[in-house]
Amino acid sequence: MIIRTCEIKTPVGTMLTAATPKGICLFEFMDVKDRLVRQTKHLERIFSNKLEQGDSPFFAPLKTELEEYFSGSRKTFNVPLDFKGTDFQVRSWHALLKIPYGETRSYQEQAIAINNPKAVRAIAGANHRNKLSILIPCHRVIGKNGSLTGYGGELWRKEFLLNLEGAL
């Protein structure tokens, strides 16, 4: 299986995008170098393959959906995603996908949503390992007191995205 990559410019920075034959498997901020290196190495390990620059049939639809999202006309993404993780991580990421556009949840509310209310720290860890920034909206998870915490793409981006969605 070949994992293709390309760069996509967005209002919050250039992002590295990767896709398997099944869908988008990485959407990560390129200027957060340590995170990008960790995420790409982990991606190569879990898919047992190297990343190669090239084209994918998923890149053009993703670019279109992102343009619509950043212009305020798209609230959900339809491009296929291909993500792997532990059972807990996958359940956590599915819970993120259920947080509506323009709304936020606390880490505790996300833990409750997966029927594991004591797993607040584990939820934070799973969100940190999300390789599909924006597409799996971990930016919609905030501190219990309403504070903006814990975003691997840097807090200014989280604030930008939540303002774009009208959640702040």
Side-chain angles (χ1 to χ4, degrees):
M1 172 179 59
I2 297 173
I3 301 174
R4 298 290 186 199
T5 67
C6 78
E7 295 178 12
I8 296 178
K9 293 186 186 319
T10 75
V12 289
T14 303
M15 302 192 69
L16 180 65
T17 306
T20 69
K22 293 181 181 179
I24 302 295
C25 61
L26 178 74
F27 195 58
E28 191 61 69
F29 301 103
M30 291 191 66
D31 65 345
V32 186
K33 296 294 184 195
D34 291 345
R35 181 173 172 79
L36 182 64
V37 168
R38 278 193 317 274
Q39 295 284 47
T40 55
K41 284 182 180 181
H42 187 250
L43 189 68
E44 289 175 338
R45 191 172 69 249
I46 62 175
F47 282 100
S48 300
N49 213 315
K50 296 281 183 195
L51 306 178
E52 296 178 17
Q53 188 172 4
D55 197 19
S56 163
F58 300 112
F59 293 156
L62 176 60
K63 288 176 185 176
T64 299
E65 289 186 13
L66 286 165
E67 288 170 7
E68 294 167 352
Y69 171 78
F70 283 109
S71 73
S73 64
R74 173 169 291 276
K75 303 209 180 328
T76 60
F77 292 96
N78 296 322
V79 67
L81 304 177
D82 186 7
F83 53 89
K84 291 183 179 182
T86 66
D87 178 60
F88 181 85
Q89 289 168 343
V90 170
R91 287 187 301 130
S92 298
W93 299 332
H94 279 289
L96 289 171
L97 289 167
K98 292 179 182 174
I99 303 172
Y101 178 97
E103 294 185 21
T104 60
R105 300 288 184 272
S106 69
Y107 292 95
Q108 178 150 34
E109 289 170 320
Q110 185 184 357
I112 291 167
I114 65 165
N115 297 316
N116 200 339
K118 294 183 180 182
V120 176
R121 288 182 190 256
I123 285 290
N127 290 359
H128 183 71
R129 288 173 185 80
N130 172 20
K131 289 172 190 50
L132 294 160
S133 296
I134 303 171
L135 307 177
I136 296 180
C138 56
H139 62 276
R140 294 180 187 154
V141 180
I142 60 174
K144 190 175 183 178
N145 64 359
S147 63
L148 300 185
T149 62
Y151 191 61
E154 299 180 349
L155 290 180
W156 71 268
R157 287 188 174 106
K158 184 173 195 162
E159 184 175 16
F160 179 97
L161 296 169
L162 291 174
N163 276 320
L164 174 73
E165 295 181 7
L168 288 182

